[in-house]
Amino acid sequence: MSKHIDRQPKLFVEIIQGLLANKLTLFLLLSIFVTALAVVQVTHLTRAQLISQDELLQQRDELDLEWRYLLVEEEFYSQHARIEEIAKTQLNMKRPTSKDEQVVVLQ
Protein backbone atom coordinates (compact mmCIF):
# COMPACT_ATOMS: atom_id res chain seq x y z
CA MET A 1 0.00 0.00 0.00
CA SER A 2 1.26 3.36 -0.93
CA LYS A 3 0.79 6.40 1.12
CA HIS A 4 -1.70 8.85 -0.19
CA ILE A 5 0.20 12.00 -0.94
CA ASP A 6 -1.85 15.18 -0.99
CA ARG A 7 -0.30 17.42 -3.58
CA GLN A 8 -2.76 20.28 -3.17
CA PRO A 9 -2.08 22.49 -0.19
CA LYS A 10 -4.82 23.12 2.25
CA LEU A 11 -5.64 26.70 1.33
CA PHE A 12 -7.46 27.64 4.51
CA VAL A 13 -4.69 26.27 6.71
CA GLU A 14 -2.07 28.10 4.67
CA ILE A 15 -3.95 31.41 4.98
CA ILE A 16 -4.32 31.04 8.75
CA GLN A 17 -0.67 30.13 9.17
CA GLY A 18 0.34 33.13 7.03
CA LEU A 19 -1.83 35.47 9.08
CA LEU A 20 -0.52 34.13 12.38
CA ALA A 21 3.04 34.47 11.15
CA ASN A 22 2.48 38.10 10.18
CA LYS A 23 0.75 39.89 13.09
CA LEU A 24 0.51 43.23 11.27
CA THR A 25 -1.48 41.67 8.43
CA LEU A 26 -3.81 40.00 10.92
CA PHE A 27 -4.32 43.26 12.77
CA LEU A 28 -5.05 45.13 9.53
CA LEU A 29 -7.50 42.46 8.38
CA LEU A 30 -9.39 42.56 11.67
CA SER A 31 -9.38 46.37 11.53
CA ILE A 32 -10.93 46.26 8.05
CA PHE A 33 -13.70 43.92 9.25
CA VAL A 34 -14.47 46.03 12.31
CA THR A 35 -14.47 49.23 10.26
CA ALA A 36 -16.77 47.68 7.65
CA LEU A 37 -19.24 46.61 10.33
CA ALA A 38 -19.09 50.08 11.89
CA VAL A 39 -19.85 51.69 8.51
CA VAL A 40 -22.86 49.42 8.05
CA GLN A 41 -24.14 50.21 11.56
CA VAL A 42 -23.67 53.98 11.17
CA THR A 43 -25.37 53.93 7.77
CA HIS A 44 -28.33 52.05 9.25
CA LEU A 45 -28.64 54.49 12.16
CA THR A 46 -28.34 57.48 9.83
CA ARG A 47 -31.14 56.19 7.61
CA ALA A 48 -33.34 55.57 10.65
CA GLN A 49 -32.73 59.14 11.85
CA LEU A 50 -33.53 60.55 8.39
CA ILE A 51 -36.80 58.61 8.30
CA SER A 52 -37.66 59.93 11.76
CA GLN A 53 -36.79 63.47 10.70
CA ASP A 54 -39.00 63.20 7.60
CA GLU A 55 -41.92 61.97 9.73
CA LEU A 56 -41.46 64.84 12.19
CA LEU A 57 -41.27 67.40 9.37
CA GLN A 58 -44.46 66.00 7.85
CA GLN A 59 -46.17 66.15 11.25
CA ARG A 60 -45.00 69.76 11.69
CA ASP A 61 -46.44 70.68 8.27
CA GLU A 62 -49.76 69.05 9.13
CA LEU A 63 -49.92 70.89 12.47
CA ASP A 64 -49.02 74.17 10.78
CA LEU A 65 -51.83 73.67 8.25
CA GLU A 66 -54.29 72.85 11.02
CA TRP A 67 -53.17 75.98 12.91
CA ARG A 68 -53.85 78.12 9.83
CA TYR A 69 -57.33 76.61 9.46
CA LEU A 70 -58.03 77.35 13.11
CA LEU A 71 -56.92 80.98 12.70
CA VAL A 72 -59.23 81.39 9.71
CA GLU A 73 -62.08 79.78 11.65
CA GLU A 74 -61.44 82.03 14.64
CA GLU A 75 -61.48 85.10 12.42
CA PHE A 76 -64.73 83.94 10.82
CA TYR A 77 -66.46 83.41 14.16
CA SER A 78 -65.26 86.70 15.61
CA GLN A 79 -66.69 88.92 12.88
CA HIS A 80 -69.04 91.53 14.34
CA ALA A 81 -71.66 91.23 11.61
CA ARG A 82 -71.95 87.49 12.11
CA ILE A 83 -72.33 87.88 15.87
CA GLU A 84 -75.03 90.48 15.38
CA GLU A 85 -76.87 88.24 12.91
CA ILE A 86 -76.84 85.31 15.33
CA ALA A 87 -78.06 87.56 18.13
CA LYS A 88 -81.00 88.70 15.99
CA THR A 89 -82.00 85.36 14.50
CA GLN A 90 -81.32 82.83 17.26
CA LEU A 91 -81.69 84.94 20.40
CA ASN A 92 -84.32 87.40 19.12
CA MET A 93 -82.21 90.32 20.28
CA LYS A 94 -82.36 93.84 18.86
CA ARG A 95 -80.56 97.10 19.35
CA PRO A 96 -82.14 99.23 22.09
CA THR A 97 -83.87 102.43 21.01
CA SER A 98 -83.74 105.69 22.92
CA LYS A 99 -87.06 104.78 24.55
CA ASP A 100 -85.52 101.57 25.91
CA GLU A 101 -82.52 103.32 27.44
CA GLN A 102 -82.51 104.15 31.14
CA VAL A 103 -80.06 106.44 32.85
CA VAL A 104 -78.79 105.32 36.25
CA VAL A 105 -77.33 107.99 38.46
CA LEU A 106 -74.85 106.86 41.07
CA GLN A 107 -74.31 108.99 44.16
Side-chain angles (χ1 to χ4, degrees), residues 3 20 57-58 63 70 82-83 93:
K3 284 185 173 180
L20 292 176
L57 287 173
Q58 184 178 8
L63 289 172
L70 288 172
R82 185 176 182 284
I83 293 172
M93 296 177 80

Side-chain angles (χ1 to χ4, degrees), residues 12-35:
F12 184 72
V13 174
E14 291 290 327
I15 291 173
I16 297 298
Q17 287 175 352
L19 287 175
L20 292 176
N22 192 348
K23 304 289 185 204
L24 179 63
T25 306
L26 180 62
F27 173 73
L28 291 175
L29 183 63
L30 290 175
S31 297
I32 289 171
F33 283 135
V34 169
T35 304

Side-chain angles (χ1 to χ4, degrees), residues 53-106:
Q53 180 185 17
D54 286 344
E55 290 172 354
L56 289 173
L57 287 173
Q58 184 178 8
Q59 184 180 8
R60 182 196 68 182
D61 291 343
E62 290 172 359
L63 289 172
D64 186 47
L65 186 61
E66 184 179 348
W67 171 252
R68 290 180 187 184
Y69 284 140
L70 288 172
L71 286 177
V72 169
E73 187 176 354
E74 179 186 26
E75 183 179 334
F76 173 75
Y77 285 128
S78 66
Q79 292 176 353
H80 180 71
R82 185 176 182 284
I83 293 172
E84 188 173 352
E85 178 187 342
I86 291 174
K88 285 180 183 178
T89 57
Q90 293 179 1
L91 302 175
N92 295 325
M93 296 177 80
K94 62 178 181 172
R95 288 197 172 270
T97 61
S98 59
K99 295 177 188 176
D100 297 331
E101 292 181 7
Q102 294 181 0
V103 177
V104 178
V105 179
L106 297 175

